[in-house]
C-alpha cells in the first residue's frame, strides 16, 4: 500500500504543474502594431519612406508600363524567359485582355514586381491620418514637410493610375476595413475630376516643400518644390492633350452606371492656358534653383576631345551622370528615382539596363545577358540626319537605299572608325544618334576606352554568345563611367533614373505655347531650339530651310509635329514616349505595323545590313487605356470597364 | 470487482471462462497477476449472516466482500437451495465448505475465480489420455503444464511435446504455458488429445484502441477502422504508400516515386475544408502527435496496432485536432516468455512503372523547324536541312549529336534493401521489445565513372526502438519508450524530379553530354576534368553536367523518449485507475552541398583546317575542385504530457460503466523560425472526457467531450468545447435473433453525432489572427536617399489586419454504422457518414482591390459539407490446418461541396455557373474546348478569345455566356474533382501447406486531372524535347485534324492553348495490381535443425500492372506525370524467427 501512494502522487503533481492558466498566453508584449509605426519620429520616417517606395520605377524595364511599346525588342529563341514570358512582352504582343491583365497596377495580381497602387494610396492616407502622433518630430516645419511629401506622392500615384487607366477612383480618405459593401464599391471618377484632385493635393503640398534639399547627404532626391511644380505642369499638360481633351470623339458615350461622362469628348482651350502657366512657373522655379540643360562645358576631360566627342558624352551624362552630390553635379535632372529600391524590386533586375543596354562588353559566360535590349529600327529611324531634320524630310536621303553597305569615310572619324564597313543608314546622323546608340562598328563610348578607342564588332559570329536582335543598343542608359572590358565582368556605375529633366520641361512648354498661340512664334521656337542647340543642332527655323518642307515651322500644325518629333528623339528610351504617344492620341500611327531590326546573324556586312521584320504590332483605340480585370468588375459592379474592352 | 456472468443461461463453462479472460484483458490483469493474488486469497475474510437465504445470496455476498468471482454452470448448481449460515470473519474456503457440504457441488479456487462444478453422479472412469502439444508452427512444446480442472493432479510435457495423463471423460484439462494462451479441453471420449497452443493473442483482437484508451470491441460504437500491420507490409520503406484501398475511409494517392519524396497523400474521409489550413489527419504514434513523415518511416514490423478514427465520437477527445480524422498507431510491446528474435531482410528491384516516351532527335529537329515556321513564316529555321542530314547520317557525332538524355542519365532500375531485427520477451516484472531497422533506397540516376563521388540518390534510414514494460508493484505498470530515427540522403544537388525535367528541357541535338578527350589537342587531353558539352551561348543547361557536378547531403533525425505510468486505485474504489504519459522529442534536419563548377566546351568546325575544335567556354569560371554550399537546417522540440483518470466497473452484472477524464498539454517550439510569430511556441491544453454505459452487452451509450485550448486565438475564443454522443445496439444478442445465431454471429447497429474542431486554420506561420501583423523592417518597401543613396530606411508593411473574432473551425459529424458477422468467417462493416464543416477560414472576396489592402482579410465564413459511405468486408476461413483463405475488400466514397462560400455575386453578370456553391471543393473550373481552329476564316468568324495570340490549329473555346468574347466569364465547372472520390481495394491470401500467396488490387475513381500543357509544351524555353505522343498527333498544315492531341506547334508556350480547359481534361480512374506476394515457409524439420522457430522466404511486388485509359504516364501521378516516376518493385525477402 505504501508503494501505491508513492506512484499515485505523480499524476497529481503533473496536473498541478501543467495547469498553469497562462500556458496559452504566449504572445510577448511589444509585438508591432499599426500604432507602433507612428510611435516616434524614427518609425514615422520609415513609413514616409514606405510611401516613397510605391513610386513606379522608370528604370525597371520589366514593370514600368512605358516600355510596352516599340522601343525595345528582346526576343531570343534560346532565352524566352527574358522576353515573351515577361508581362511587358505579353502587352507588346497584344495579349493584354480582361481575362489576363498584365502589369496590373489596379489589382496587383500579376508579376512579383507590380504592386496594386491603391495600396500605396492607402499607405499615404494612413500616414496622413497618423502623422500627428509622433511627439519627437524635430520641428513642426518638418512635420509639415513630411505631410507635403506624402500628399505629393498620393497625388502622383493617382496621376500615374490616370495615365494608365484613364478614369480611376479617387481615394481621398481610407475606407475602414469594417465598412459595408456599399461603401467599398467605389466609382471611377472622370479624368478631369481626378486631375483636379491631383492638382489640389499638389497645391496643398507645394508651400511646405523645400526649394532645394539642404541636407544633401541624407535627403537628396526627396521631393522638392521644383519637383512638385514640374509634376503639376505634367498633369495639366496631360489633361490638356488630345486624348483627354476632346480628341477622341468615341468617348462621347463613355459613361458609368450613373451616367457620368468619364473622359471629356469636347475640346477646352482653357486647359492649355492653365498648362502653359503651370509649366512656366515650374521652369522659373527650377531655373532659379539652378537647374539648366547640361552642356559640353560641363564635361571636364583630361584628354583633348573633339567637340563631337564632347556632345556624345554630354548627351549621355545628362541622363546618367551621378548627381548624388547635388544639383551642381547634374543640373539637368529635376527629379530622379532611386534605382533598384522601388516597387519592391530586389536582386537581378537591378542592373538590367546596365547589362541590357551595353554593347557586347560583358563576359559571354556571365550570369547576365549583355546587350539584350535591342533598340528597334523603328525608333532608330526617328533620329535626325546630320542636318537636324527627319530622314523623310532630308532631300539628301530621299530615295536612297539606306541599307547599302559603304565604307566609313574619314569625315565621320569622330563618330565611327573610318575604313570599316557599315550601312549608309548609320552615316551622317545627328550627334544624339551616335551618343545614344551602340551598334556594329561603332565606338564603345566608355570612360575605360577614353584613350584607346574600342570598336564594337558584332557582326554575325564575331561575338561568341549573347547579342541583341535588332543591331542597336540604347547605350544612352548606360553610365559613361561604368567599366567593363570585353571578356570580363562588368562593373555598373549606379545612377538615379531621371523622371523629369529640364529638356522635358522646355519641350513641354514649347508644346503648350504652340497650342495656346494662334501661330508659332519666337517664344515657341526658343524652347525647342534650347534643346536642339545642346545636342549640337541648329534652330528649328534655320534647319528646316534645308528640308523638303521649309515652311513647316511656321504653321501651328507643322510646329506641333516638329515638337512631337523632337520630344520623341530627346526622351527616347527614357520611359516618356509611351505616355506622350498616348496623350497626343497618335499611338495608332506609330505603333501599328512591323517592328524591324537588322539581320543580326548575318556574317558579312551585306547579309547583316538587311532590314527584317521582327514582329508585327497592332494597336487599337482600346489600347490607350488598359483594362481592369473582369473579376474586379464582379466584385464591384459599380466599376465600368476601360473604354473598348 | 464484478465480472459479467451469464447466470441462468445454457452457456457452457468453456464459454464463460473465455468471457472471463476477455474481461481480464480489459482490466489489464495479466496472467501473472492472477497468480500473484492467489496467495492472498486464503486469508480473505468474509462475514455472512443469512437466515433462509439461498446459495445465490451467499455467492453474492462473497463476491461483494472479496475480489472473487464465481464461475459455474447455472443448470448444474442449485442456486435456490435454501440455507442458513452465520459466519464472522471466516475464510472463503471455510464458508464454501460449509455451504456445499453434503451436496454434489465442489469448488476450486483458481486465481481470483472460484469454479463450482457438480460432482459426477457416477464414479468417474479414468482413462489414459495421451497427446502432443505443439505451437502453431507444429513445433513441439516441452514443459507445458497440464492440470485436471478442480484437482491438483497434473503433468508436464516431455521435450518432444508429448504427455500422458489419467483422466475421466467428465474432466477438463487445462493446458498452460508461459507466453501462450491457456486452453481448457473437455476430455470426453477422447483417447488422444493433440493441442496446438497459440501465443497470447494480441489485445487488439478483443479490444479496440480508442482515444486515450482501449475499449471492449463489442461496446465500441464509434467508427474506428483497425488494420492488421501485416496488411501494411509492402516492399517499400514508405508506409504511406500502402494505405490506399487497404483501409476503408482513407482517400489516398501517390504522385512521386522519388526516394525520400514518395509519401502518398492521404485524407480520412476526404477533405472537408478549404483554404490553407490543415486538411490531413492527426497522426498519433504511441499517443503522441507526430508528422506524416514520421508515420511514413514506421516499420510495419514494429506496429502493434493501427487504427483510424473517423467519426465525431472517436475523435471528440482530440477536439482541436480531430476534425480531419485521427490515425493512431501503437508500437509493439514485449510479450512474456522466452526471448524471441525475428529478422527480416528484403532486397528489391525498383523500376519506373512507365517512362514518358520522347520523340527521337531527328523528329525533334524537323518539328522544331516546323514549329518556328508555323508561328512566323519569316523566321529563320533553327536547323538547316544540311545539318539535319548530317545529324541523321551520324558522320559528325560530336558536332551534330543525337543525344538520348534519358538514357544518358537514368537507369532502368535500381536495387533497394531493407533489414529489420527485433528482439522481444520478458518475465513477469519486465518485458521488452527492441527493434532496429535499416534501409537503403536508391534512385535511378546514373553515376559517371570519371567522378569520384556518387551522385545517384541514396537514402539510408536507421531506426532504433525500444519499448520496455515494467511492473513496479502488482498495481503499478510503467512503459519506457525510446525511439530514434535518422535518415541520410546523399544525392545530386537538386531533387530527382528536377533532372527529369532538365533532361526533357534540353535540346537533344545541340551538344553531347560530354566530349571525349582529344589526344591531338593538348588543351583538352591533359585536363583532369570532364569536358561537358554546351551551346556556345551557355544558355542551355547541360542536365548531365548538372547531375554529376556535385552532391547534396541532407539528414533528418528524430529522438524521442517517453514514459507511461499506470496505477490502479482499486483500494479507493473498485475499477478506478490512473495513467500518465510524458513525452519529449526533438527533430532536426540539415542539408548542405558540395559541387564543382563544370567546365563547358563547345565544338565548332575550323573553316581553315576543316577540323572540329573544342573551345572552353568558361575557363575562368569553371572549377574542378569541390566548393561547399551551406544549406538550411531546422530543429524543433516538443513536449507532451497526458494524465488520465479512469473508471471501469460492472454493476449488478448488467450495467457496465466506464469513464475516463484526461488532461493533456502540448508544447512545440521551432529553434530557427523565420519570423517572430513562428518562433512562438505552439501549444494546446485539453480537458477531455468519455463516459460509456453498456447494458447487458446489448445496448450501449457513450458521451464524449473535449475542451481544448489553443494558443492561436483571442482570449475569449481560446477555448473550444466539442461534445459528442452515440448509441449502439447489439441486435444479435437479442433473444429474437437467437435462431439465427449460427448464421449471423454479430449484428450491431450504431450511430454517433458530435462536434470536433480544428485550430490549425490558415497557414502554419499565420497564427494569432486577433493581432495585426506589421512588418516594421520590410526591405521590399525600403527607400534610399542622399549622397550615393547613403541614407536608407526599411519600410513598413501590413502582413495581416487584426480580427479578434477569428475562431475554431468546427466540424459536425454524423455516423451511422452496421457491423455484421456471418458464420464467424465474414466480417462486414458499413458506415454512412455526413459532415458539416463551418467557420472555415476564408479570404474575404467582396473587398475590391481599390481598397488597397496589403493582405486580404480572412474570416470564419466558409462552410463545406461532405458525405459518403465506406465498406469493408473481411473473410477468413480455415479449411484445415494446412489450407486457409482470407480476403479483404474495402470501398470508400467521399464527396464534398461548398455550402457557404463568399464569392462575387455572379448573377450580376449572368454567369451563375461560376459559383462554387454546391460544387466539390476540388472541382476544377475551366473553359470548354470545342476543337482546333480550322483556318483564318474560322478564326475570324469565331468570338474573340482573350488569352494571347491564336490562329488556325489553336484551341477554339465555347462562348458560354454568348457575349461574343471568350473571357474569364466563360469558365464553367469541368470534369470531376481532382481528389478522387472513390478509393477501393480488394485482395485475398491463400495458404496451402507451406505455401502462401496473396494479391491486392487497388483502384481509384471519380477523379479528373489535367495534362499540364505548360509543362509538356514542346520547344518551350527554346529547346524542350517533344513527347512522342505529341510528335505523332498534332495539328499541322499537312494534317489539319481539328481534334489532334496537341494543337499547332509553336516555339513557345501559347497562353491560348495553356489555359485550363476540357482539351486537357483526363479521366483519373484506374485499377492496379498494387501488390502480390508468394511465400514459402520452410518445413519443420529444416527449421528445427537450424534452431529456428520459423523461416519464410517470399517474393513480392508492387504496382505490377495498371488498367487505365490514360497512357502517357502512370495515371496515379495525375498532372505531375513528368516528374520522378512511380516505381514498380519486385522484392525478395527472408524472415527468420528464432
Amino acid at each position: 500500500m505504501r508503494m501505491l501512494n508513492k506512484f499515485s502522487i505523480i499524476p497529481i503533481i503533473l496536473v498541478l504543474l501543467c495547469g498553469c492558466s497562462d500556458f496559452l498566453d504566449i504572445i510577448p508584449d511589444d509585438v508591432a502594431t499599426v500604432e507602433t509605426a507612428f510611435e516616434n519620429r524614427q518609425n514615422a520616417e520609415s513609413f514616409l519612406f514606405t510611401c516613397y517606395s510605391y513610386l513606379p520605377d522608370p528604370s525597371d524595364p520589366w514593370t514600368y508600363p512605358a516600355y510596352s511599346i516599340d522601343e525595345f525588342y528582346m526576343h531570343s529563341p534560346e532565352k524566352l524567359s527574358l522576353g515573351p514570358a515577361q508581362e511587358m512582352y505579353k502587352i507588346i504582343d497584344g495579349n493584354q485582355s480582361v481575362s489576363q491583365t498584365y502589369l496590373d497596377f489596379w489589382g496587383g495580381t500579376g508579376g512579383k514586381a507590380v504592386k496594386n497602387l491603391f495600396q500605396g494610396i492607402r499607405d499615404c492616407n494612413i500616414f496622413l491620418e497618423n502623422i500627428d502622433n509622433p511627439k519627437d518630430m524635430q520641428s513642426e516645419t518638418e512635420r509639415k514637410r513630411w505631410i507635403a511629401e506624402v500628399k505629393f506622392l498620393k497625388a502622383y500615384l493617382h496621376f500615374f493610375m490616370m495615365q494608365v487607366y484613364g478614369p480611376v477612383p479617387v481615394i481621398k480618405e481610407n475606407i475602414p476595413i469594417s465598412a459595408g459593401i456599399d461603401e467599398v464599391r467605389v466609382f471611377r471618377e472622370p479624368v478631369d475630376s481626378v486631375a483636379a484632385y491631383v492638382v489640389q493635393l499638389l497645391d496643398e503640398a507645394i508651400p511646405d516643400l523645400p526649394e532645394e534639399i539642404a541636407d544633401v547627404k541624407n535627403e537628396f532626391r526627396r521631393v522638392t518644390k521644383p519637383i512638385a511644380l514640374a509634376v503639376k505642369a505634367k498633369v495639366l499638360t496631360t489633361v490638356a492633350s488630345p486624348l483627354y481633351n476632346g480628341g477622341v470623339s468615341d468617348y462621347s458615350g463613355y459613361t458609368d452606371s450613373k451616367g457620368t461622362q468619364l473622359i471629356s469628348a469636347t475640346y477646352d482651350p482653357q486647359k492649355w492656358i492653365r498648362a502653359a502657366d503651370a509649366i512656366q512657373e515650374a521652369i522659373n522655379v527650377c531655373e532659379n534653383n539652378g537647374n539648366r540643360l547640361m552642356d559640353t562645358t560641363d564635361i571636364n576631360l583630361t584628354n583633348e576631345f573633339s567637340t563631337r566627342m564632347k556632345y556624345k558624352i554630354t548627351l549621355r551624362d545628362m541622363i546618367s551622370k551621378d548627381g548624388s552630390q547635388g544639383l551642381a553635379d547634374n543640373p539637368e535632372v529635376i527629379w530622379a528615382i532611386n534605382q533598384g529600391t522601388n516597387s519592391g524590386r530586389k536582386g537581378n533586375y537591378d542592373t538590367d539596363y546596365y547589362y541590357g543596354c551595353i554593347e557586347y562588353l560583358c563576359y559571354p559566360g556571365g550570369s547576365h545577358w549583355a546587350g539584350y535590349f535591342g533598340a528597334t529600327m523603328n525608333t532608330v529611324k526617328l533620329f535626325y540626319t546630320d542636318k537636324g531634320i527627319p530622314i523623310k524630310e532630308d532631300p539628301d536621303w530621299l530615295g536612297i537605299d539606306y541599307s547599302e553597305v559603304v565604307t566609313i569615310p574619314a569625315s565621320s572619324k569622330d563618330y565611327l572608325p573610318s575604313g570599316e564597313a557599315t550601312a549608309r543608314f548609320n552615316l551622317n546622323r545627328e550627334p544624339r544618334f551616335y551618343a545614344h546608340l551602340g551598334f556594329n562598328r561603332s565606338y564603345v563610348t566608355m570612360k575605360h576606352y577614353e584613350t584607346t578607342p574600342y570598336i564594337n564588332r558584332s557582326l554575325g559570329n564575331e561575338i561568341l554568345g549573347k547579342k541583341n536582335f535588332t543591331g542597336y543598343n540604347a547605350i544612352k542608359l548606360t553610365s559613361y563611367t561604368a567599366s567593363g572590358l570585353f571578356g570580363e565582368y562588368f562593373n555598373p556605375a549606379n545612377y538615379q533614373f531621371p523622371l523629369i529633366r529640364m529638356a522635358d520641361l522646355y519641350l513641354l512648354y514649347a508644346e503648350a505655347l504652340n497650342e495656346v498661340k494662334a501661330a508659332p512664334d519666337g517664344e515657341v521656337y526658343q524652347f525647342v531650339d534650347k534643346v536642339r542647340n545642346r545636342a549640337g543642332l541648329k534652330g528649328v527655323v534655320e534647319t528646316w530651310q534645308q528640308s523638303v518642307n521649309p515652311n513647316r515651322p511656321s504653321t501651328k500644325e507643322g510646329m506641333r509635329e516638329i515638337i512631337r518629333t523632337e520630344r520623341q528623339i530627346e526622351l527616347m528610351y527614357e520611359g516618356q514616349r509611351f505616355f506622350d504617344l498616348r496623350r497626343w492620341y497618335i499611338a495608332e500611327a506609330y505603333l501599328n505595323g512591323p517592328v524591324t531590326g537588322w539581320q543580326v546573324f548575318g556574317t558579312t556586312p551585306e547579309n547583316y545590313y538587311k532590314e527584317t521584320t521582327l514582329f508585327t504590332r497592332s494597336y487599337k483605340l482600346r489600347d490607350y487605356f488598359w483594362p481592369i480585370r473582369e473579376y474586379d468588375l464582379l466584385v464591384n459592379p459599380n466599376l465600368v470597364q476601360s473604354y473598348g474592352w | 470487482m464484478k465480472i459479467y456472468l451469464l447466470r441462468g443461461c445454457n452457456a457452457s463453462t468453456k464459454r464463460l471462462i473465455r468471457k472471463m479472460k476477455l474481461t481480464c484483458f480489459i482490466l489489464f490483469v495479466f496472467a501473472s497477476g492472477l497468480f500473484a493474488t492467489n496467495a492472498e486469497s486464503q486469508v480473505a475474510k468474509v462475514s455472512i449472516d443469512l437466515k433462509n437465504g439461498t446459495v445465490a445470496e451467499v455467492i453474492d455476498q462473497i463476491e461483494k466482500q472479496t475480489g472473487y468471482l464465481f464461475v459455474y454452470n447455472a443448470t448444474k448448481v442449485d442456486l435456490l437451495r435454501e440455507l442458513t449460515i452465520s459466519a464472522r470473519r471466516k475464510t472463503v474456503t471455510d464458508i464454501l465448505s460449509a455451504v456445499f457440504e453434503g451436496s454434489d457441488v465442489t469448488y476450486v479456487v483458481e486465481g481470483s475465480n472460484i469454479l463450482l462444478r457438480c460432482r459426477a453422479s457416477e464414479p468417474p472412469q479414468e482413462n489414459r489420455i495421451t497427446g502432443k502439444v505443439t505451437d502453431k508452427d507444429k513445433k513441439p512444446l516441452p514443459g507445458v503444464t497440464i492440470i485436471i480442472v478442480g484437482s491438483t493432479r497434473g503433468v508436464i510435457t516431455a521435450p518432444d511435446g508429448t504427455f500422458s495423463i489419467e483422466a475421466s471423460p467428465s474432466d477438463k484439462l487445462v493446458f498452460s504455458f508461459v507466453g501462450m494462451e491457456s486452453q481448457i479441453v473437455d476430455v470426453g471420449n477422447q483417447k488422444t488429445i493433440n493441442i496446438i497452443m497459440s501465443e497470447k493473442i494480441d489485445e487488439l483482437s478483443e479490444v479496440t484502441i480508442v482515444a486515450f484508451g482501449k475499449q471492449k470491441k463489442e461496446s465500441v460504437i464509434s467508427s474506428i477502422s483497425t488494420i492488421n500491420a501485416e496488411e501494411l507490409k509492402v516492399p517499400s520503406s514508405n508506409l504511406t504508400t500502402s494505405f490506399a484501398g487497404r483501409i476503408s475511409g482513407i482517400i489516398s494517392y501517390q504522385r512521386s516515386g522519388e526516394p525520400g519524396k514518395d509519401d502518398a497523400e492521404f485524407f480520412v474521409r476526404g477533405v472537408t475544408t478549404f483554404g490553407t489550413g490543415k486538411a490531413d489527419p492527426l497522426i498519433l504514434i504511441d499517443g503522441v502527435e507526430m508528422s506524416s513523415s514520421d508515420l511514413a518511416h514506421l516499420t510495419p514490423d514494429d506496429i502493434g496496432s493501427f487504427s483510424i478514427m473517423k467519426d465525431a465520437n472517436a475523435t471528440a477527445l482530440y477536439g482541436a485536432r480531430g476534425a480531419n480524422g485521427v490515425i493512431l498507431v501503437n508500437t509493439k510491446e514485449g510479450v512474456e516468455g522466452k526471448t524471441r528474435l525475428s529478422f527480416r531482410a528484403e532486397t528489391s528491384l525498383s523500376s519506373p512503372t512507365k517512362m514518358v516516351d520522347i520523340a527521337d532527335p531527328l523528329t525533334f529537329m524537323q518539328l522544331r523547324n516546323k514549329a518556328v515556321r508555323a508561328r512566323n513564316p519569316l523566321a529563320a529555321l533553327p536547323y538547316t536541312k544540311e545539318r539535319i542530314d548530317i545529324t541523321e547520317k551520324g558522320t559528325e557525332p560530336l558536332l551534330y549529336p543525337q543525344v538520348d538524355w534519358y538514357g544518358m542519365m537514368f537507369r532502368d532500375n535500381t536495387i533497394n534493401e531493407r533489414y529489420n531485427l527485433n528482439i522481444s520477451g520478458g518475465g513477469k516484472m519486465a518485458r521488452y521489445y527492441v527493434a532496429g531497422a535499416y534501409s537503403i533506397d536508391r534512385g535511378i540516376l546514373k553515376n559517371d565513372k570519371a567522378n569520384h563521388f556518387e551522385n545517384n540518390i541514396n537514402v539510408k534510414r536507421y531506426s532504433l526502438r525500444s519499448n520496455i514494460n515494467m511492473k513496479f508493484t502488482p498495481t503499478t505498470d510503467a512503459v519506457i519508450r525510446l525511439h530514434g530515427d535518422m535518415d541520410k540522403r546523399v544525392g545530386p544537388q537538386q531533387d530527382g524530379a528536377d533532372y527529369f525535367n532538365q533532361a526533357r528541357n534540353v535540346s537533344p541535338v545541340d551538344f553531347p553530354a560530354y566530349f571525349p578527350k582529344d589526344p591531338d589537342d593538348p588543351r583538352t587531353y591533359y585536363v583532369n576534368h570532364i569536358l561537358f558539352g554546351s551551346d556556345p551561348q551557355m544558355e542551355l543547361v547541360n542536365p548531365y553536367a548538372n547531375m554529376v557536378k556535385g552532391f547534396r547531403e541532407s539528414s533528418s533525425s528524430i529522438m524521442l523518449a517517453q514514459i507511461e505510468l499506470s496505477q490502479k486505485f482499486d483500494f479507493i474504489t473498485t475499477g478506478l485507475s490512473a495513467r500518465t504519459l510524458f513525452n519529449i522529442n526533438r527533430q532536426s534536419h540539415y542539408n548542405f552541398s558540395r559541387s564543382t563548377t563544370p567546365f563547358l566546351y563547345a565544338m565548332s568546325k575550323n573553316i581553315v583546317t576543316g577540323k572540329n575544335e573544342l573551345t572552353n567556354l568558361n575557363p575562368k569560371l569553371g572549377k574542378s575542385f569541390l566548393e561547399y554550399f551551406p544549406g538550411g537546417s531546422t530543429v524543433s522540440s516538443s513536449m507532451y504530457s497526458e494524465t488520465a483518470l479512469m473508471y471501469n466497473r460492472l454493476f449488478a452484472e448488467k450495467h457496465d460503466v466506464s469513464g475516463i477524464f484526461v488532461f493533456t498539454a502540448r508544447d512545440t517550439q521551432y529553434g530557427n523560425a523565420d519570423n517572430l510569430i513562428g518562433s512562438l511556441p505552439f501549444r494546446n491544453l485539453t480537458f477531455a472526457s468519455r463516459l460509456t454505459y453498456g447494458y447487458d452487452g446489448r445496448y450501449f451509450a457513450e458521451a464524449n467531450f473535449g475542451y481544448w485550448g489553443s494558443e492561436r486565438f483571442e482570449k475569449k475564443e481560446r477555448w473550444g468545447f466539442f461534445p459528442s454522443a452515440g448509441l449502439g445496439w447489439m441486435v444479435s444478442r437479442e433473444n429474437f435473433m437467437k435462431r439465427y445465431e449460427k448464421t449471423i454471429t454479430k449484428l450491431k447497429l450504431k450511430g454517433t453525432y458530435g462536434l470536433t474542431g480544428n485550430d490549425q486554420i490558415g497557414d502554419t506561420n499565420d497564427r494569432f489572427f486577433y493581432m495585426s501583423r506589421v512588418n516594421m523592417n520590410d526591405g521590399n518597401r525600403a527607400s534610399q536617399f542622399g549622397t550615393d543613396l547613403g541614407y536608407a530606411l526599411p519600410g513598413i508593411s501590413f502582413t495581416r489586419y487584426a480580427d479578434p473574432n477569428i475562431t475554431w473551425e468546427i466540424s459536425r459529424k454524423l455516423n451511422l454504422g452496421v457491423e455484421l458477422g456471418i458464420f464467424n468467417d465474414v466480417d462486414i462493416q458499413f458506415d454512412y457518414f455526413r459532415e458539416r464543416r463551418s467557420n472555415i477560414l476564408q479570404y474575404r472576396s467582396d473587398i475590391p482591390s481599390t481598397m488597397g489592402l496589403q493582405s486580404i482579410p480572412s474570416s470564419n465564413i466558409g462552410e463545406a459539407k461532405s458525405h459518403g459511405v465506406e465498406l469493408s468486408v473481411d473473410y477468413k476461413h480455415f479449411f484445415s490446418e494446412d489450407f486457409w483463405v482470407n480476403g479483404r475488400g474495402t470501398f470508400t466514397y467521399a464527396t464534398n461541396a461548398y455550402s457557404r462560400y463568399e464569392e462575387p455575386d455572379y448573377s450580376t453578370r449572368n454567369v451563375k455557373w461560376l459559383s462554387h456553391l454546391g460544387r466539390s471543393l476540388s472541382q476544377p473550373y475551366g473553359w470548354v474546348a470545342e476543337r482546333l481552329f480550322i483556318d483564318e476564316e474560322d478564326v475570324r468568324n469565331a468570338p474573340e478569345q482573350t488569352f494571347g495570340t491564336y490562329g488556325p490549329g489553336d484551341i477554339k473555346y465555347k462562348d458560354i455566356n454568348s457575349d461574343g468574347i471568350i473571357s474569364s466569364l466563360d469558365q464553367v465547372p469541368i470534369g470531376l474533382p481532382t481528389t478522387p472520390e472513390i478509393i477501393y481495394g480488394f485482395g485475398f491470401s491463400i495458404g496451402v501447406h507451406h505455401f502462401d500467396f496473396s494479391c491486392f488490387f487497388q483502384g481509384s475513381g471519380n477523379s479528373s486531372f489535367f495534362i499540364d500543357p505548360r509543362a509538356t509544351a514542346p520547344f518551350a524555353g527554346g529547346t524542350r524535347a517533344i513527347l512522342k505522343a505529341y510528335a505523332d498527333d498534332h495539328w499541322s498544315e499537312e494534317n489539319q485534324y481539328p481534334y489532334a492531341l496537341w494543337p499547332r506547334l509553336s516555339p513557345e508556350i501559347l497562353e491560348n492553348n495553356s489555359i485550363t480547359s476540357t482539351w486537357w481534361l483526363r479521366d483519373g480512374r484506374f485499377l492496379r495490381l498494387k501488390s502480390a506476394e508468394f511465400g514459402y515457409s520452410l518445413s519443420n524439420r529444416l527449421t528445427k535443425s537450424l534452431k529456428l522457430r520459423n523461416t519464410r522466404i517470399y517474393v513480392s511486388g508492387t504496382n505490377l500492372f495498371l488498367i487505365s485509359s490514360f497512357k502517357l504516364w502512370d495515371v496515379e501521378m495525375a498532372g505531375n506525370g513528368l516528374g520522378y516516376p512511380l516505381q514498380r518493385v519486385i522484392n525478395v525477402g527472408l524472415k527468420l524467427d528464432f
Side-chain angles (χ1 to χ4, degrees), chain A residues 4 8 14 23 25-26 45-46 49-50 53 95 97 99-100 116 122-123 217 338 341 369 489 496 630, chain B residues 475 539 567 569 580 621 681 683 715 781 783-784 787 789 791 794 796 851 854 946 948-949 967-968 1055:
Chain A
L4 294 182
S8 56
L14 276 175
F23 183 72
D25 218 3
I26 55 168
E45 194 178 14
S46 263
F49 280 36
T50 304
S53 75
N95 292 339
S97 78
S99 304
Q100 277 152 332
N116 170 347
R122 189 173 188 92
D123 270 354
K217 186 171 181 295
N338 311 327
T341 55
W369 225 55
Y489 282 114
Q496 303 190 21
E630 234 165 18
Chain B
T475 55
E539 298 301 340
Q567 172 66 51
F569 286 111
T580 181
L621 296 179
R683 284 183 176 169
K715 263 198 171 107
R781 295 257 73 88
S783 289
Q784 312 169 31
T787 309
L789 302 179
Y791 186 65
I796 294 170
M851 280 285 279
Q854 290 175 28
T946 60
T949 42
S967 68
S968 50
E1055 186 67 24

Side-chain angles (χ1 to χ4, degrees), chain A residues 353-619:
Chain A
Y353 269 129
Y354 300 127
Y355 289 105
C357 298
I358 192 123
E359 307 160 283
Y360 310 108
L361 274 176
C362 278
Y363 186 72
S367 58
H368 282 276
W369 225 55
Y372 50 81
F373 283 103
T376 62
M377 288 278 279
N378 306 43
T379 58
V380 177
K381 278 178 192 166
L382 285 174
F383 285 88
Y384 294 145
T385 66
D386 52 358
K387 294 196 187 75
I389 46 176
I391 289 176
K392 60 179 183 233
E393 294 188 55
D394 188 332
D396 291 350
W397 282 68
L398 289 180
I400 68 157
D401 173 14
Y402 53 65
S403 307
E404 190 191 339
V405 178
V406 291
T407 306
I408 299 169
S411 57
S412 296
K413 70 176 167 49
D414 288 334
Y415 291 135
L416 297 174
S418 42
E420 296 277 356
T422 190
R424 194 178 284 281
F425 186 71
N426 292 337
L427 284 179
N428 305 324
R429 304 296 292 269
E430 61 159 320
R432 284 181 292 198
F433 179 89
Y434 300 105
H436 291 168
L437 296 167
F439 47 92
N440 178 34
R441 267 52 183 181
S442 71
Y443 285 119
V444 175
T445 318
M446 304 293 274
K447 194 173 179 60
H448 186 81
Y449 297 110
E450 212 170 85
T451 48
T452 46
Y454 184 78
I455 303 166
N456 167 12
R457 296 173 197 278
S458 50
L459 205 60
N461 291 329
E462 284 180 328
I463 184 137
L464 188 67
K466 302 147 196 212
K467 59 196 298 156
N468 71 52
F469 289 82
T470 62
Y472 292 96
N473 279 115
I475 200 169
K476 182 186 193 180
L477 303 178
T478 307
S479 171
Y480 178 68
T481 54
S483 68
L485 300 171
F486 182 76
E488 295 284 345
Y489 282 114
F490 179 73
N491 289 315
N494 288 304
Y495 68 92
Q496 303 190 21
F497 201 92
L499 209 57
I500 303 178
R501 56 188 178 93
M502 283 308 282
D504 184 354
L505 276 194
Y506 288 147
L507 292 171
L508 218 53
Y509 194 43
E511 182 188 342
L513 285 179
N514 187 51
E515 298 297 334
V516 170
K517 294 176 194 262
D521 57 13
E523 204 185 359
V524 177
Y525 301 142
Q526 177 202 337
F527 283 97
V528 184
D529 290 349
K530 269 179 190 262
V531 176
R532 290 175 63 90
N533 294 341
R534 187 266 298 275
L537 300 173
K538 296 205 172 72
V540 170
V541 180
E542 191 188 344
T543 320
W544 248 266
Q545 293 309 314
Q546 305 177 57
S547 87
V548 293
N549 295 312
N551 292 329
R552 191 175 283 265
S554 60
T555 64
K556 191 169 179 165
E557 288 69 31
M559 195 57 205
R560 184 184 290 146
E561 204 178 317
I562 289 170
I563 295 168
R564 285 178 178 176
T565 309
E566 189 68 49
R567 199 175 155 83
Q568 287 187 64
I569 298 168
E570 177 65 23
L571 300 172
M572 188 69 78
Y573 315 124
E574 287 182 57
Q576 301 284 353
R577 189 163 154 264
F578 167 80
F579 296 112
D580 287 335
L581 291 179
R582 286 174 140 207
R583 69 183 172 88
W584 294 330
Y585 187 42
I586 57 170
E588 284 158 283
Y590 278 86
L591 301 178
N592 268 316
V595 173
T596 61
W598 294 124
Q599 183 88 55
V600 294
F601 290 100
T603 47
T604 63
E606 286 72 23
N607 290 338
Y608 185 95
Y609 291 112
K610 278 186 180 157
E611 191 177 352
T612 31
T613 297
L614 300 164
F615 70 106
T616 307
R617 260 209 79 134
S618 85
Y619 199 93

Side-chain angles (χ1 to χ4, degrees), chain B residues 326-348:
Chain B
V326 180
I327 292 182
L328 207 165
V329 182
N330 286 341
T331 54
K332 271 185 189 159
E333 292 175 4
V335 177
E336 201 181 304
K338 265 195 355 195
T339 297
R340 288 177 171 207
L341 192 148
S342 174
F343 174 73
R344 175 198 294 276
E346 290 185 341
T347 300
S348 49

Side-chain angles (χ1 to χ4, degrees), chain B residues 116-130:
Chain B
L116 304 183
R117 51 182 284 269
C118 299
R119 226 175 250 139
S121 47
E122 289 166 37
Q125 265 185 294
E126 298 268 304
N127 293 325
R128 177 145 295 270
I129 315 287
T130 57

